[in-house]
Amino acid sequence: MAIILASQGGLRVAPVLIFLAALFDFMDGMAARLLHVRSPLGEQLDSLADMVSFGLAPAFLLYCHLASMHGEPVLPYHQPGLSYFDLAGMYLPFIIVVFAAIRLARFNLDTTQREAFLGLPTPAMALLVASGLYVYHQSDVLQGIQLLVQPRFWEALAVILAILMVLPVRMFSLKFKHLKWKGNQIRYTFVAISLILLVSLQAIALPIIILWYIILSFIHPVFGIK
């Protein structure tokens, strides 16, 4: 649905459907753990769903966003006046699909990624794209920022996110096994700062929270937090 809406110019609504997909992804995992019905088939189906919701959908939204910035239709044909360099940049977001597939395949094979992730999780990547586009298209202020109106910014973002998904850096999981402070320091820190950002910045806080997650994942080993 997000892809269909984005193809029709609905870039204000399409990101919301990716948010819903992330919510359902969280709920189905929680339901599986509560009901003790985890299975190899379920893991594969979950990854296939992730591939569409958090690989193809955010890549297509970025493509549609870049097409609108260039004044191009979503349908893939070349308009006079658009350089081949710009045309290649429009399709650059689809690199996310390839790297998301690699990320998900590695996750299925690596049994050490149950409590911490190796590389940026695909849902976090998709939420950063969706929240960034949502805030951009809802805010006239952000559309006046010179950096954000440059197609190269969004093209670079696609490449950086693709690399982060396969980067061999441990990123913490938000799964709580218990409610004690010890062992959950990084999770409580992340949640507390995220709530402060949401209260103070509201919708603009959404992409900042994902960036905060990435930064915290990079720096938490420095403080000896496991």
Side-chain angles (χ1 to χ4, degrees):
M1 291 173 66
I3 291 170
I4 292 170
L5 281 174
S7 69
Q8 297 173 348
L11 287 172
R12 290 188 173 208
V13 182
V16 177
L17 297 177
I18 293 182
F19 298 153
L20 287 175
L23 176 63
F24 295 146
D25 181 57
F26 173 79
M27 289 173 63
D28 85 331
M30 182 174 64
R33 287 188 293 273
L34 289 174
L35 299 173
H36 304 290
V37 291
R38 188 182 186 123
S39 70
L41 175 63
E43 290 183 6
Q44 300 307 315
L45 289 174
D46 185 75
S47 291
L48 289 171
D50 285 359
M51 185 64 207
V52 177
S53 300
F54 310 130
L56 180 59
F60 191 81
L61 263 63
L62 267 179
Y63 159 71
C64 292
H65 174 65
L66 284 167
S68 68
M69 295 184 87
H70 286 297
E72 285 283 294
V74 172
L75 293 175
Y77 62 86
H78 178 50
Q79 288 276 15
L82 187 67
S83 70
Y84 287 106
F85 186 73
D86 289 334
L87 190 65
M90 276 174 51
Y91 289 95
L92 193 59
F94 288 106
I95 192 176
I96 286 175
V97 183
V98 179
F99 281 73
I102 296 171
R103 171 75 183 82
L104 290 164
R106 282 182 176 176
F107 177 80
N108 286 351
L109 295 173
D110 187 354
T111 57
T112 67
Q113 292 195 58
R114 297 301 176 243
E115 296 184 9
F117 302 115
L118 192 62
L120 181 65
T122 49
M125 179 279 303
L127 286 173
L128 180 56
V129 171
S131 60
L133 290 175
Y134 175 80
V135 171
Y136 178 84
H137 285 278
Q138 296 286 346
S139 171
D140 294 332
V141 176
L142 292 182
Q143 293 179 26
I145 297 177
Q146 189 63 28
L147 177 64
L148 299 182
V149 298
Q150 299 296 324
R152 298 291 174 263
F153 169 81
W154 300 96
E155 294 165 10
L157 178 66
V159 174
I160 291 169
L161 291 176
I163 293 171
L164 282 174
M165 281 191 288
V166 297
L167 205 64
V169 173
R170 289 283 173 186
M171 298 195 172
F172 66 93
S173 167
L174 288 174
K175 297 175 183 177
F176 286 81
K177 288 191 172 182
H178 53 78
L179 297 179
K180 296 178 182 178
W181 168 256
K182 188 175 181 180
N184 286 319
Q185 300 99 313
I186 191 169
R187 296 177 182 86
Y188 280 122
T189 302
F190 172 75
V191 171
I193 300 296
S194 297
L195 288 174
I196 293 171
L197 289 170
L198 275 174
V199 171
S200 58
L201 299 177
Q202 299 180 354
I204 297 177
L206 296 173
I208 297 175
I209 288 172
I210 306 299
L211 289 173
W212 165 233
Y213 168 77
I214 296 171
I215 292 169
L216 194 56
S217 291
F218 271 93
I219 67 173
H220 80 268
V222 176
F223 300 101
I225 301 174
K226 294 185 180 180

